[in-house]
Amino acid sequence: MKPHVLLLLLLLPAVSCTAEKQTPPAVTATGFVDRAKDAGFIQPNHTGVFDSKPYLVSTKGGGCLSLDFDGDGDVDIYLVDGNDYELDSEGRVLTRQKNPDARNRLMRNDGNWKFTDVTEGSGLGDRNFGIGGAVGDYDNDGDPDIFVANWGKNTLYRNNGDGTFTDVTEVAGVAGLENEATPCATFFDADNDGDIDLYAANYGDHEEFMLRTGGKPAGKMVHGMFWVMGPGCYVAQKDRFYRNNGDGTFTDETETALKDQVPSYSFQPILLDVDNDGDQDIFTAVDSMPNHLWINDGRGNFTDQAEEAGCAVNEVICSSAGMGVDAADYDQDGWTDIVLTNFATDVNYLYRNLGAQGVLLFEHDAVRTGFGVGSWEKVSWGVGFRDFNQDGYLDVFVANGHVYPTTAPDVKTRGGYYEQTPLFYFGEGPPHWGFRESSEKGGPGLKIRRLGRGAIFDDFDNDGDQDVFISCLNSVPLLLENRLPGMGNWLKVGLQGTKSNRDALGARVLVEAGAGRIRQMREMRLSSSFASSHSTLLHWGLGDARKVDRLTVTWPGGKQQVFTDLPVNRTLHLVEDAAQPEPVNRE
């Protein structure tokens, strides 16, 4: 028997069929349909108050994390909540826990679009001023742990495997400093040693700013509206890199690992292998300063090459207001591309990786592809490359919401409404490899105005397609069921590292189907979008393909496993070296 056949047979107990989609009769609309209220999401986010944003930190937040915390096969949701704050007469922050109703919440997925708040007793009801977070199995014990990114010291929760979590921040050594504002983070295996490290992105020193301004609202009146002061008024901070010691602790190696780092207003970092050399690099979206592209030397030490690679700024050599970010090979050339969300009066960016031409260089491709359409009046945050209609080509979803409050949501502000609707683009294949803005035809869920921030894309009802969850500032979230018409076939893949890190972060999976029409590569990452993190299942749309011709897994470190003639509309869980310790012959 061939090695890859034997491997597949041994994996069959972990292969599951998903039942055909069952929709309650009350839901008849097509496209994206909001299910949040019926699902149990009735608690609003608390980040300052809706119409008073005197400091920049109160315009951020709304991070959301999806994970299967209890291992029951359903994707659960963890909501990161903000708070309000009190100041003394000199502007010193007395507390960030002013609002007693504000706390992070763990929502357990019970199936059939029902979620239960199980925060009480879970150990996860953090009442700090939360902004975002990251999920990752940092101790390689098989269940997901949670890092919460706060204004002030951060928090790391270890999953105990029984539905509860333990705060291990001080022991682990990843709290950071009291004056740091950490909006986003990501776990990744920087040195491919089998345990995951942590990159915490920092923004600006809000403590120093409040002390300098005496605690008074910092901004200016424009057309009768208060505009909060922008990032340039804050002292920028350095991001932090924590190396995992493999014993439950981390070592802060920021100064040695992130060479010549320039302090910046950092938002979302993501892992990606941008140069196809087998190690994990980091791209970080930065607000009003050049973005970072940290190239890994293979040992977990990094050099920022964003400027040389052409992804530090926009095409007219100006810094963007980069907030959210995702990465994928949208044009199926084998090289990872980057999408970056921006502030109003600037389009969202699409950086196309020109690595196929033998150079580490990105081309600005938003205008040619049509991806910039519709974003000029939006303040965009969470973003995701996904194949929502499962035709074999990647689509893009963007969450939006302004930062300048008004007395009513429908009063125009600079660049658009305060509360805003999402953007949705259908991906188009060769020869154009572009995007078609289709928000108006995307269903009733795309007509709802909110202060969108974090966004996650997962299969919340286990029917095979990708749904959307948007965390909304000072409001209840959106939970959008995907009911797009004309759905194609699909495949979902979960990976379990053995020699690699348990989450297989940094692994690549190439799916080939449809007699060569589909050749899609996915990288295993959890953190992306804005202040958000996703579950560990990778998803492919397969159009009318009736089988997967070939699936190739490249594990961190370079070892490959190959499978052929796989069924569609299935979820596969693949374990590293489960049956064959040597790379499978690809012939």
Side-chain angles (χ1 to χ4, degrees):
M1 183 177 289
K2 294 182 179 180
H4 65 270
V5 175
L6 175 61
L7 176 57
L8 183 58
L9 288 174
L10 290 178
L11 287 173
L12 282 178
V15 177
S16 61
C17 296
T18 302
E20 185 178 350
K21 186 173 187 175
Q22 298 294 324
T23 303
V27 180
T28 58
T30 59
F32 292 98
V33 180
D34 185 25
R35 307 297 300 275
K37 182 178 179 180
D38 293 339
F41 290 91
I42 58 175
Q43 295 294 331
N45 169 275
H46 306 86
T47 302
V49 293
F50 179 81
D51 59 355
S52 177
K53 302 293 183 186
Y55 296 101
L56 200 58
V57 70
S58 59
T59 69
K60 306 175 191 173
C64 45
L65 318 176
S66 60
L67 68 163
D68 183 4
F69 81 94
D70 52 4
D72 67 351
D74 294 317
V75 180
D76 313 298
I77 296 175
Y78 185 62
L79 292 166
V80 179
D81 208 359
N83 213 302
D84 210 338
Y85 40 82
E86 293 179 323
L87 309 174
D88 65 16
S89 59
E90 296 181 350
R92 294 185 176 88
V93 179
L94 297 177
T95 177
R96 301 190 185 91
Q97 305 172 21
K98 182 179 177 182
N99 190 333
D101 295 327
R103 69 169 180 174
N104 298 353
R105 295 182 183 275
L106 178 63
M107 302 294 290
R108 185 187 66 213
N109 188 343
D110 295 325
N112 198 29
W113 293 107
K114 296 296 181 183
F115 287 75
T116 301
D117 187 337
V118 294
T119 310
E120 197 68 35
S122 70
L124 289 175
D126 196 318
R127 294 183 183 274
N128 291 308
F129 198 112
I131 303 176
V135 174
D137 186 3
Y138 83 93
D139 53 1
N140 279 335
D141 66 350
D143 45 42
D145 310 300
I146 296 175
F147 176 82
V148 180
N150 294 319
W151 172 26
K153 290 189 175 181
N154 304 309
T155 311
L156 177 63
Y157 293 103
R158 186 188 68 229
N159 190 330
N160 299 319
D162 59 1
T164 68
F165 291 75
T166 300
D167 183 343
V168 295
T169 312
E170 294 304 321
V171 172
V174 294
L177 300 179
E178 187 66 36
N179 71 322
E180 290 178 336
T182 307
C184 310
T186 187
F187 285 103
F188 72 122
D189 191 353
D191 45 13
N192 275 342
D193 65 349
D195 43 46
I196 55 177
D197 312 297
L198 177 64
Y199 183 109
N202 287 324
Y203 192 89
D205 191 336
H206 288 76
E207 304 279 342
E208 182 274 340
F209 181 79
M210 290 180 172
L211 187 61
R212 177 158 39 93
T213 60
K216 298 178 181 179
K220 58 184 178 180
M221 298 299 296
V222 178
H223 303 304
M225 179 181 62
F226 180 82
W227 285 14
V228 65
M229 298 299 286
C233 297
Y234 293 78
V235 176
Q237 297 176 323
K238 287 186 176 182
D239 301 341
R240 289 190 178 273
F241 172 73
Y242 298 99
R243 197 178 300 275
N244 193 330
N245 299 320
D247 59 0
T249 68
F250 292 77
T251 299
D252 187 340
E253 296 188 6
T254 301
E255 296 303 322
T256 56
L258 303 180
K259 298 176 182 177
D260 302 319
Q261 181 185 182
V262 176
S264 59
Y265 308 115
S266 293
F267 277 131
Q268 184 65 54
I270 60 169
L271 75 84
L272 70 172
D273 183 2
V274 72
D275 49 5
N276 285 4
D277 65 351
D279 52 38
Q280 299 168 43
D281 311 306
I282 292 287
F283 178 90
T284 306
V286 178
D287 188 3
S288 303
M289 296 178 70
N291 304 310
H292 300 305
L293 179 62
W294 294 105
I295 299 299
N296 195 335
D297 68 355
R299 299 183 298 276
N301 300 304
F302 300 84
T303 304
D304 190 353
Q305 297 184 27
E307 182 176 356
E308 299 93 319
C311 57
V313 294
N314 63 18
E315 62 268 37
V316 293
I317 319 189
C318 292
S319 296
S320 64
M323 271 120 41
V325 63
D326 200 8
D329 179 17
Y330 78 90
D331 55 358
Q332 298 188 19
D333 66 352
W335 295 82
T336 301
D337 313 296
I338 299 171
V339 63
L340 178 74
T341 58
N342 268 315
F343 201 80
T345 67
D346 194 0
V347 299
N348 294 327
Y349 296 169
L350 180 62
Y351 294 110
R352 185 166 70 94
N353 192 335
L354 301 180
Q357 301 177 19
V359 60
L360 178 58
L361 186 65
F362 287 86
E363 176 181 70
H364 295 267
D365 216 18
V367 174
R368 182 197 68 82
T369 60
F371 177 68
V373 173
S375 61
W376 183 258
E377 291 190 347
K378 305 284 190 179
V379 177
S380 299
W381 302 82
V383 60
F385 275 118
R386 295 293 190 280
D387 189 353
F388 290 101
N389 63 344
Q390 300 178 168
D391 65 349
Y393 305 117
L394 286 171
D395 315 306
V396 184
F397 194 103
V398 184
N400 304 295
H402 223 299
V403 300
Y404 298 143
T406 58
T407 55
D410 59 349
V411 175
K412 280 255 183 175
T413 68
R414 172 179 177 262
Y417 294 98
Y418 184 36
E419 293 185 312
Q420 299 182 340
T421 55
L423 283 167
F424 176 64
Y425 302 84
F426 279 121
E428 299 176 330
H432 181 56
W433 292 111
F435 297 92
R436 176 167 42 90
E437 203 279 313
S438 305
S439 305
E440 286 297 318
K441 300 178 180 179
L446 302 191
K447 301 182 187 301
I448 302 173
R449 294 186 184 276
R450 294 282 173 81
L451 297 182
R453 293 298 189 265
I456 44 181
F457 313 97
D458 257 307
D459 185 4
F460 296 111
D461 55 356
N462 275 337
D463 67 348
D465 58 32
Q466 296 288 281
D467 309 300
V468 181
F469 183 93
I470 302 176
S471 184
C472 304
L473 215 60
N474 300 110
S475 179
V476 295
L478 294 174
L479 177 57
L480 304 181
E481 179 185 3
N482 183 353
R483 293 176 52 80
L484 291 170
M487 283 287 193
N489 294 319
W490 55 271
L491 178 73
K492 292 194 296 183
V493 172
L495 301 176
Q496 179 183 324
T498 53
K499 295 179 180 178
S500 306
N501 65 87
R502 176 82 181 214
D503 289 333
L505 297 180
R508 285 184 163 191
V509 182
L510 175 64
V511 165
E512 299 171 83
R517 183 180 74 85
I518 296 172
R519 197 173 190 275
Q520 294 188 358
M521 180 265 291
R522 301 280 190 269
E523 291 180 307
M524 177 59 78
R525 69 175 67 86
L526 302 183
S527 297
S528 64
S529 186
F530 173 79
S532 299
S533 190
H534 304 80
S535 78
T536 56
L537 288 179
L538 300 171
H539 172 268
W540 285 262
L542 301 174
D544 59 2
R546 297 178 179 271
K547 67 174 182 176
V548 172
D549 299 323
R550 186 181 184 90
L551 184 151
T552 305
V553 183
T554 304
W555 299 92
K559 183 169 289 187
Q560 289 189 334
Q561 291 175 281
V562 178
F563 309 89
T564 59
D565 297 328
L566 301 180
V568 299
N569 301 331
R570 300 291 190 273
T571 300
L572 304 178
H573 294 274
L574 309 181
V575 181
E576 182 180 15
D577 285 346
Q580 176 62 34
E582 299 297 329
V584 174
N585 190 328
R586 301 185 65 191
E587 297 299 321

